[in-house]
Each structure stands twice: as C-alpha cells, then as structure tokens.
Amino acid sequence: MKILVIGGGGREHAIIWKLKQNPEVKEIFSSPGNGGISESATLLPACAENDWNSYVNLVKSKKIDLTIVGPEGPLASGIVDVFKEKKLKIFGPSKECAQLEGSKIFAKNFMKKHGIPTANFKVLEHHKEALNFLANLSLTTYKFPLVIKADGLAQGKGVVICQTMEEAKTIIGEMMVKKIFGPAGKKIIVEDKLEGREVSILAFCDGQNLKILPQAQDYKRAFDQDLGPNTGGMGSIAPSPLTESQIKEIERFILQPFLKGLQNENLDYRGIIYFGIMLTENGANVLEFNVRFGDPETQVILPLIETDLLEIMEAVISQTLSKISLKILNQTAVSAVLASNGYPGKYETDKEIFGLNEIEQKENILCFHAGTIKKDGKFFTSGGRVLNIVGLGGSREEAKNNCYAALSKISFEKMQFRTDIAS
Ligand code: AMP
Ligand code: GLY
C-alpha cells in the first residue's frame, strides 16, 4: 500500500506516524511534508493551489493507492471531486460537503434548518446592509459584545469579537471594503457571543454513521493564562473532561441532527467532521464545523486510538464505518507547541533545533514536527509553530509532566511556548 498525505504540519506528522503502525503500509509520500516527516516519508513539493490535476498525475505516476488530505483549503476547492472523477481513492469530504467549513453562512443555515443549537446570527451580504444593521442594532435582539465572522476561509483569523460599535464598524470595513481576507470577507455573519468552555469533538463520518473520537481541548491564545493573540493552537489535551450527561446531550442534540441533516440534504459526507463546541449555561452550542482533523488536536487524539487508522479510513471511504469498533486507550495525552519567537506575528526562522535525539523513542513521549526542515542531518526551524511535544500518561498530571520534562530537553534560539497546557 502506498499513501500520499497532503499537508505539512504537526497534524500530518501525527497522521503519518499512526499510519506507519500498519505493516501493509509500504511507502508514504508527503506533500510538502516537513523535516520530521522526511524521516518516515518521501517528501514531494506541493502542487500549486487548485492544480489538483498535478496531484492526479503524481498519484498515477507513483502508483499511490490512497490520498489523505490534511488541510481544509484543498477540500473546500474540490480536490476530492477531481480524484473521484478519475476513480482515485481519497480520504476527505467533497467540495459540496466541505462548505460546512468553507462557508460559515452555509454552516449556520444548515444548523438552523436541522435544529442544531448555535448562536443566533444574521447574514449580511453588502457593506451598506451591514452598516444599516449596526445603526439599527437597538431594534434587534443583538448587543455588544458581538461576534463578526467572514463567511469564507481566512486561516483561522476571520472571527473577531467586537466590544464597541466603533470596533464593529472598523472590522466590517476591513472585511467587506478593504477585503483583508480577500473574497472570504465579501459576506459576513454577525452573531451573539457565547460564554463557556470550548471543546473539540471529532468524529469519523461515512455519511450514514459517526464514530466519535476522544474529546480534545485546544489552547488558542499565544501566552499563559489565555492571554495574548489567537494562534493556530499552542497546545492541546485529550480527553478533555466531559460528564456522561454532557456527552449524551452532544450526541442527542448535535451529532444525531447533524447526521439526519446530511441525509436530508443528500450530502454524502465521508471523512472527519470536527464540531467546535461551546458548553454554555444553556447547553452545548456549535461554534463551527471543520471538515478535517484539527491541528493541534490530532496530535493528542491519534495516540489514544488503538484501532488501525488505515482500516478506519478505508471503512469511511467504502461506507462501512458501522462495522468498525473503535478502541480507545485509557490514557491522557498532553501536547505543548514550541513556536518561533513572535508567532503568531512576525518571526525569524532557520534556527538550529537542539536536543531532539534526547527524546526520541522514549516511552510516553512523542514529537510531531510542524515548521521544521532537515539539512545535513540537522533540524532547523522553518515556520511559526515548530514542534509539538506530546506526553502520555495514566492521568492528566502524569501526561503533562511527561510532556514538559521532554520539552525541557529541546531548545532553539528564542523558543516560545506556554507553560500552562493542561494546568
Ligand atoms: P470559529 O472559526 O467560528 O470556530 O471561531 C474561532 C474561535 O472564535 C472559536 O474557537 C471561539 O473561540 C471564538 N468564537 C467563535 N464564535 C463565537 C461565539 N459565537 N461566541 C464566542 N466565541 C466565539
Ligand atoms: N485547532 C483548531 C483547528 O484545527 O482549526
């Protein structure tokens, strides 16, 4: 079996690490991959955006049996449809289904139609309409703080919580007129701000069935105590504690209506579905869908799954997920991200990374690379998020201690990380 994994972050490194546990997997290609991935897969340059036929040709020429798509971009622009048309096996949802992440308006309308609890929202299609809405805010049920969201994909930056009218007007102008997110901000959503604890629920979905994975929590802010700007994620923990009744509620009011909604809309969803959930005083609400594995959640979820990943993915593709029984290890995984100084703003790269050999092959420690490259046998930084250090253990405390003990062996110039993941 030959597999291509598209993407090059910690998520993709974790996916490749897990796939490698299956002896049937003879060779893995990764495009573009990273320094750490290059130790276990053959790196191929990334094809130009939207040039999915180049990947088709690559897959044919290398006789690759299965392609797995990590990030949302290729899914939203239809890579799965192109592959399916050529009868090539691929893991991920179609373009139509990927709108659940690619268009927040599509996602919110889907939730409203199918009774999935989510914040009240208003779709605004033009700048004038948006200003008008703000001017008449007192006549509506909405009030500050207001959440303003660009409709399309904006690399995780398209959600802004506004405290004042002035802020709201500014961000609406930036999205809809200055187009800071390009076409993604052509239309926007305004919605109520929800309060509570956030949890990420990921599930495999074959269109007929869902198999839920251990719940995870992502630490989005750059600095300790949830201070500083939002990032792609500075750490994660799984499982994130939920009570039996919270899980039942999520299944009954979110997962079941979601599946029914797919079927009613004839959406043939095959892949991973990620529910970003806020546990509010009035119950669990969906903040967003992602149509792929989360990063950095995957780095703590996959080490807890005993079942073979390839087997599950094949079952998703052939719509036989009901036959899979997922075995989950009774452990906790904690991951801290080592980032370049300045991330998520400007940062320097090309710093040599020291200490990696000290944590290699150590029990209860995993290291998934993100922004790294390998040159002459040495690793250097090449991105904002550089490494994910994962500690495993029988308890949250043990997993956290293992994570931070391993982290203390690693260094590069001006390394930045949070000291309070899983605290
Ligand atoms: P999204 O891309 O929609 O998940 O938004 C990114 C982040 O913005 C979420 O993970 C939340 O932390 C925050 N967020 C989004 N929508 C809301 C909301 N209605 N109320 C409070 N926070 C929100
Ligand atoms: N961790 C959030 C995401 O993957 O979008």
Side-chain angles (χ1 to χ4, degrees), residues 150-199:
D151 174 46
L153 294 178
Q155 293 181 326
K157 295 181 191 139
V159 176
V160 183
I161 296 172
C162 297
Q163 304 293 340
T164 64
M165 182 62 84
E166 206 173 339
E167 269 179 80
K169 281 186 186 160
T170 307
I171 192 65
I172 283 174
E174 285 179 351
M175 285 184 184
M176 301 181 97
V177 182
K178 283 195 196 149
K179 302 244 161 46
I180 54 169
F181 303 126
K186 200 167 164 256
K187 297 179 190 172
I188 62 164
I189 285 180
V190 173
E191 69 179 40
D192 285 332
K193 182 169 185 285
L194 299 174
E195 302 290 344
R197 179 162 76 89
E198 276 189 67
V199 51

Side-chain angles (χ1 to χ4, degrees), residues 289-357:
F289 297 116
N290 291 327
V291 297
R292 40 137 186 115
F293 280 107
D295 187 341
E297 289 93 333
T298 306
Q299 292 87 310
V300 288
I301 291 174
L302 290 185
L304 301 183
I305 302 179
E306 200 180 334
T307 316
D308 180 62
L309 181 60
L310 178 59
E311 196 186 320
I312 308 170
M313 288 180 157
E314 300 256 34
V316 165
I317 294 169
S318 62
Q319 223 168 40
T320 52
L321 195 55
S322 63
K323 298 203 177 108
I324 297 279
S325 100
L326 271 191
K327 288 199 188 71
I328 308 296
L329 297 171
N330 190 14
Q331 281 200 308
T332 299
V334 168
S335 172
V337 169
L338 296 181
S340 300
N341 181 46
Y343 173 79
K346 263 198 183 154
Y347 54 82
E348 290 170 29
T349 57
D350 220 23
K351 311 289 182 201
E352 186 173 350
I353 305 168
F354 301 96
L356 286 169
N357 52 348

Side-chain angles (χ1 to χ4, degrees), residues 3 32 49 89 92 99 126 213 235 277 338 378 390 414 423:
I3 301 179
E49 212 176 310
K89 209 192 262 187
Q99 289 179 91
H126 309 283
L213 300 175
I277 289 176
L338 296 181
K378 296 176 178 173
V390 182
K414 297 191 195 160
S423 287

Side-chain angles (χ1 to χ4, degrees), residues 11 72 101 156 200 218-220 231-233 235 274 288 290 292-298 385:
R11 162 182 56 203
E72 62 277 18
E101 178 170 0
S200 309
D218 173 8
Y219 292 74
K220 287 189 201 296
T231 69
Y274 169 133
E288 63 162 344
N290 291 327
R292 40 137 186 115
F293 280 107
D295 187 341
E297 289 93 333
T298 306
R385 288 191 290 174

Side-chain angles (χ1 to χ4, degrees), residues 357-375:
N357 52 348
E358 286 191 53
I359 62 169
E360 241 172 55
Q361 318 262 330
K362 285 262 163 25
E363 210 183 329
N364 290 325
I365 303 296
L366 294 163
C367 175
F368 298 124
H369 290 229
T372 72
I373 47 166
K374 195 174 178 191
K375 290 187 282 196

Side-chain angles (χ1 to χ4, degrees), residues 53-255:
N53 276 314
S54 296
Y55 276 124
V56 165
N57 294 336
L58 197 84
V59 160
K60 284 185 175 166
S61 72
K62 304 261 182 221
K63 300 199 164 40
I64 290 168
D65 305 287
L66 168 66
T67 299
I68 297 165
V69 188
E72 62 277 18
L75 295 168
S77 74
I79 190 171
V80 170
D81 308 65
V82 173
F83 269 59
K84 281 193 174 156
E85 200 180 295
K86 307 276 196 238
K87 306 253 180 299
L88 296 171
K89 209 192 262 187
I90 187 159
F91 179 86
S94 64
K95 182 175 181 173
E96 192 184 19
C97 294
Q99 289 179 91
L100 286 168
E101 178 170 0
S103 165
K104 295 204 189 286
I105 297 175
F106 181 92
K108 295 291 286 194
N109 285 334
F110 179 90
M111 286 190 261
K112 191 172 166 190
K113 185 163 172 195
H114 300 291
I116 298 168
T118 188
N120 280 331
F121 68 102
K122 170 88 182 151
V123 175
L124 298 165
E125 303 206 359
H126 309 283
H127 187 229
K128 225 177 169 177
E129 186 191 2
L131 290 182
N132 214 7
F133 172 79
L134 285 182
N136 293 302
L137 200 66
S138 60
L139 305 176
T140 72
T141 58
Y142 298 92
K143 52 183 186 306
F144 288 98
L146 271 186
V147 183
I148 298 184
K149 301 184 170 187
D151 174 46
L153 294 178
Q155 293 181 326
K157 295 181 191 139
V159 176
V160 183
I161 296 172
C162 297
Q163 304 293 340
T164 64
M165 182 62 84
E166 206 173 339
E167 269 179 80
K169 281 186 186 160
T170 307
I171 192 65
I172 283 174
E174 285 179 351
M175 285 184 184
M176 301 181 97
V177 182
K178 283 195 196 149
K179 302 244 161 46
I180 54 169
F181 303 126
K186 200 167 164 256
K187 297 179 190 172
I188 62 164
I189 285 180
V190 173
E191 69 179 40
D192 285 332
K193 182 169 185 285
L194 299 174
E195 302 290 344
R197 179 162 76 89
E198 276 189 67
V199 51
S200 309
I201 307 268
L202 281 79
F204 287 101
C205 177
D206 70 357
Q208 307 286 342
N209 280 286
L210 288 173
K211 292 279 173 188
I212 186 168
L213 300 175
Q215 301 87 46
Q217 188 188 332
D218 173 8
Y219 292 74
K220 287 189 201 296
R221 299 295 199 100
F223 309 126
D224 284 6
Q225 287 159 10
D226 282 333
L227 297 174
N230 263 327
T231 69
M234 292 299 290
S236 51
I237 176 170
S240 169
L242 284 185
T243 63
E244 200 58 33
S245 81
Q246 281 171 320
I247 295 176
K248 282 225 168 80
E249 180 199 333
I250 289 170
E251 282 181 351
R252 177 164 169 215
F253 294 108
I254 296 176
L255 304 188

